[in-house]
Amino acid sequence: KISASIVVYNSPEDAHKTVQTVLEHTKDLDFTLYVIDNASPEKIGQMLKADFPQPEYIILTENVGFGRGHNQVLDKIDSKYHFIINPDIEINADTIKNMCRFMDENPSCSISCPKVMNPDGSIQYLAKRRPTLSALLARRIHKGPFRKIEEKYLAMEQDHSKSFEAEFCTGCFSVLRTDVFKKINGFDPQYFLYFEDADITMEARKHGKAFYNPDATVVHMWHRETAKSFKPFMLQLRSMFIYMKKWGYKL
């Protein structure tokens, strides 16, 4: 049994494409998809349900944030593996199967993320090291000494054609053993948005290892909102301090 959850709030076109590709490539699997509408202004859940009646829909009356949105399925799932999927992801025919196969073959693995690609075929380095304050700055500056800090944070020196242990599995697409997801009570509700994926990786690593799996790929329509607007960046900064208070400050 496999389950997955997608939390939607904006960008209905992206969400429609994500649900479409996920359903298309899981027809032959014992698979349940949950779509959580985080009180989206455009009522995306209802829009999707008109085209895709197969998923189970959870319509919230308030925006509870990314992690708490995914936590809505905790009492509903009884799968072996549970996938966290962003509403701006496209998978292929082998993505889910290869992720599950990797988990089967690596029983010490509690959480894993795939190779994440840009639409142009270039790689997004999202199997990262633990976040630091300097890394957060480097993600915005990209120049001088900050460039090396960013490259280290993104683990760019790793051979991304091979599997390796990760300190931070991206929340745009990852898989956890469902028993671990339940054991850690899902995402920490302190986070509204940003760094909840870094946090859940740390929690999952209490029960096993975190791995990057290059045999599975997804395409991520990444919009990088924090680079475009001050408000998302401030929200990211707030989440960063929650993370560091919990796991220890690192420059």
Side-chain angles (χ1 to χ4, degrees), residues 11-61:
S11 301
E13 296 83 5
D14 285 350
H16 190 280
K17 185 66 174 177
T18 297
V19 172
Q20 182 181 31
T21 64
V22 169
L23 293 176
E24 178 183 349
H25 297 306
T26 53
K27 290 177 181 177
D28 60 339
L29 302 176
D30 187 356
F31 179 83
T32 303
L33 175 63
Y34 295 85
V35 176
I36 301 95
D37 186 324
N38 230 344
S40 64
E42 296 174 285
K43 301 187 184 302
I44 298 174
Q46 294 180 19
M47 294 169 59
L48 292 171
K49 193 172 185 178
D51 288 338
F52 309 108
Q54 305 96 316
E56 295 196 23
Y57 289 87
I58 300 171
I59 310 298
L60 303 181
T61 56

Side-chain angles (χ1 to χ4, degrees), residues 77-241:
I77 54 177
D78 60 353
S79 53
K80 183 176 183 181
Y81 301 126
H82 182 70
F83 285 80
I84 304 296
I85 305 176
N86 257 26
D88 58 355
I89 288 288
E90 292 182 22
I91 71 170
N92 59 56
D94 298 320
T95 302
I96 300 291
K97 293 175 185 176
N98 284 347
M99 293 291 283
C100 291
R101 184 181 300 114
F102 183 87
M103 300 292 280
D104 285 342
E105 294 173 351
N106 294 274
S108 66
C109 180
S110 59
I111 183 171
S112 178
C113 58
K115 180 184 287 186
V116 181
M117 312 297 290
N118 288 303
D120 65 5
S122 59
I123 189 172
Q124 292 179 15
Y125 295 94
L126 296 183
K128 297 173 280 195
R129 291 191 166 89
R130 285 184 59 182
T132 64
L133 283 172
S134 57
L136 185 63
L137 286 172
R139 293 294 278 153
R140 291 184 69 84
I141 298 173
H142 308 293
K143 296 179 180 179
F146 286 103
R147 184 62 185 167
K148 290 189 177 296
I149 293 171
E150 182 182 28
E151 289 175 355
K152 181 179 179 181
Y153 173 55
L154 299 179
M156 290 179 68
E157 84 288 352
Q158 292 277 8
D159 182 352
H160 280 71
S161 67
K162 299 178 181 177
S163 174
F164 59 83
E165 282 193 53
E167 296 180 358
F168 178 173
C169 285
T170 175
C172 77
F173 192 96
S174 59
V175 60
L176 298 100
R177 296 186 186 276
T178 301
D179 61 346
V180 171
F181 188 51
K182 286 174 171 279
K183 196 175 294 184
I184 62 180
N185 294 314
F187 289 93
D188 188 331
Q190 289 187 88
Y191 302 88
F192 183 80
L193 189 63
Y194 304 118
F195 290 102
E196 65 286 299
D197 48 356
D199 182 275
I200 203 171
T201 305
M202 294 291 286
E203 293 287 359
R205 288 173 68 200
K206 294 178 181 177
H207 303 278
K209 297 178 179 180
F211 278 101
Y212 161 77
N213 171 21
D215 293 332
T217 61
V218 301
V219 175
H220 185 201
M221 309 296 178
W222 204 8
H223 300 301
R224 289 297 303 273
E225 295 299 330
T226 55
K228 300 176 184 177
S229 172
F230 186 69
K231 184 177 179 181
F233 177 69
M234 292 305 296
L235 187 58
Q236 187 182 46
L237 199 61
R238 176 185 178 275
S239 294
M240 180 71 171
F241 281 110

